[in-house]
Amino acid sequence: MNRIALIAAGVAGAATLLAAPQAGAATTATTATTVTCGASGLQAGLSTKVCAEITGGQVQLYGQISLAGPPSPGSPAPQPQELITGLSGQVVGGASLGSVNGYTQFTASTVQVRGVGGTVACGSTVHASFSVAKFPWNPAPVTLDVVVPC
C-alpha cells in the first residue's frame, strides 16, 4: 500500500470512531430557570417588588429594593438607610416555604433579600410577600401569586 492509501484509511477509521456513540456517555438535560415578578410598589420611599425563580420544582423567592426614580441633577448622593424587611412564601393551601425578617442596608444600588424557597409540586400556586419599612413609613407589602409549571 502506498502512503496516500494508508493516510486515507487512517482518516476514515478515525472519522468512524469519532462519529460512533460512546458507550456509557451520559447526556445531561438542563432545566431552564424562569423568573416571574409581581407589580412594583412604593415602600419607605423606595421601589420594591417580589419575584420567584422557578427551576423545575425548585422555587426561590426574593424581594428587590431599588430607587423609585433617578436622583435629581445636582442633588447629593443618597445616604445609607437601614430598612426593616420581611420576605415570606407559602404554597397556597399547603406548606410554608419559610420567612426571613431583618435589617437590610440600602444606599443607591439595587438590593435583593433572599432566603425563602423549596421544592413545590408542579401545578401548585405559590404566594409570596415582601415588605419594607423605615420610620415614619409603615410597610405596604407587594405580593406575587405564581403557578409552578408542569
Side-chain angles (χ1 to χ4, degrees):
M1 226 186 246
N2 66 22
R3 286 184 212 208
I4 294 175
L6 284 173
I7 293 172
V11 169
T16 302
L17 287 175
L18 292 174
Q22 298 294 318
T27 58
T28 57
T30 57
T31 303
T33 298
T34 58
V35 177
T36 304
C37 296
S40 296
L42 293 176
Q43 297 182 68
L46 301 167
S47 177
T48 60
K49 65 181 172 181
V50 64
C51 302
E53 290 178 344
I54 302 172
T55 307
Q58 288 293 317
V59 177
Q60 295 300 315
L61 304 174
Y62 66 91
Q64 187 167 298
I65 307 165
S66 59
L67 291 174
S72 300
S75 64
Q79 295 298 311
Q81 302 179 52
E82 182 135 329
L83 305 170
I84 303 167
T85 57
L87 173 65
S88 65
Q90 72 175 43
V91 177
V92 174
S96 170
L97 295 175
S99 63
V100 175
N101 296 297
Y103 294 95
T104 302
Q105 190 76 15
F106 177 80
T107 303
S109 300
T110 300
V111 174
Q112 291 183 352
V113 174
R114 293 182 169 266
V116 174
T119 302
V120 177
C122 75
S124 299
T125 300
V126 172
H127 176 78
S129 177
F130 180 59
S131 64
V132 175
K134 179 184 177 216
F135 182 78
W137 292 290
N138 290 322
V142 289
T143 62
L144 169 67
D145 289 308
V146 61
V147 176
V148 176
C150 291

